[in-house]
Amino acid sequence: GAGHLDPKGRPNVLRGIMGEVSGKEGTADKVWLMETNLDDATGEEIGYLIGELFNAGALDAWTEHIYMKKNRPAFKVSALIKQEDAAKVEECFFLKSTTFGIRKTLLERVKLERKIENVNVTGRKMRLKTGEYTSPDGRKSKKSKLEYDDWAHE
């Protein structure tokens, strides 16, 4: 519980993660990381590009604020892509942004095996995502989390 102590404006809670035996290992696959630096695009154009990258098949897409030559503020736009979607996402970078080039790096990605089940939380149907992992030395862990979108979009 939050208790009665006044933490002077800071949250008075603790997040706990409990592990348990699961018997499952993480899985590995290959993904492309595609990136470009843009110093001549507006925030609106960057937001549009991120949406289009997802529409083209990106697994994830994000921006980072950077400075380029002559101390120009800019955005680094990055996307993770499965091999089968690489051509569509590359085309999206060139057709939907001001870039003259992108960097591509092949990465190995390790992810937990996921299972999604529907659960009832205070009378509402929610998706519960669960991931299980076994480390090389045999330690086991299980993580569960309710999908945020189910809470946010009642």
Side-chain angles (χ1 to χ4, degrees):
H4 299 288
L5 179 66
D6 179 11
K8 299 193 183 355
R10 294 188 326 250
N12 189 18
V13 295
L14 173 67
R15 180 178 184 178
I17 299 174
M18 183 169 53
E20 64 182 55
V21 175
S22 67
K24 298 265 186 174
E25 296 181 11
T27 60
D29 63 353
K30 302 273 190 217
V31 292
W32 284 100
L33 171 63
M34 293 187 187
E35 298 179 312
T36 191
N37 297 344
L38 300 173
D39 65 355
D40 59 349
T42 67
E44 291 90 349
E45 292 168 324
I46 298 293
Y48 172 75
L49 175 59
I50 294 293
E52 291 298 301
L53 291 169
F54 279 116
N55 289 340
L59 298 167
D60 200 359
W62 64 94
T63 64
E64 297 174 54
H65 187 259
I66 60 172
Y67 285 91
M68 294 176 63
K69 62 186 169 203
K70 301 179 187 176
N71 284 325
R72 290 183 186 150
F75 293 97
K76 177 167 72 170
V77 180
S78 305
L80 279 182
I81 302 106
K82 291 181 185 176
Q83 177 64 43
E84 59 266 24
D85 296 320
K88 289 188 301 187
V89 173
E90 183 176 309
E91 179 180 62
C92 182
F93 268 109
F94 286 117
L95 296 180
K96 308 286 182 167
S97 78
T98 58
T99 192
F100 275 69
I102 59 174
R103 297 175 299 280
K104 294 170 42 173
T105 307
L106 186 60
L107 302 173
E108 183 175 352
R109 172 178 72 155
V110 179
K111 58 185 181 176
L112 296 181
E113 287 288 336
R114 293 180 178 114
K115 178 177 79 174
I116 296 179
E117 61 184 300
N118 291 314
V119 296
N120 185 345
V121 178
T122 62
R124 293 181 11 217
K125 192 176 196 179
M126 300 283 203
R127 290 172 294 164
L128 180 68
K129 179 170 50 177
T130 302
E132 299 181 5
Y133 175 76
T134 302
S135 69
D137 65 358
R139 290 181 291 161
K140 299 177 189 245
S141 173
K142 182 177 182 179
K143 300 176 183 186
S144 295
K145 182 177 180 188
L146 291 169
E147 286 290 341
Y148 176 78
D149 286 347
D150 293 345
W151 286 104
H153 301 108
E154 298 184 11

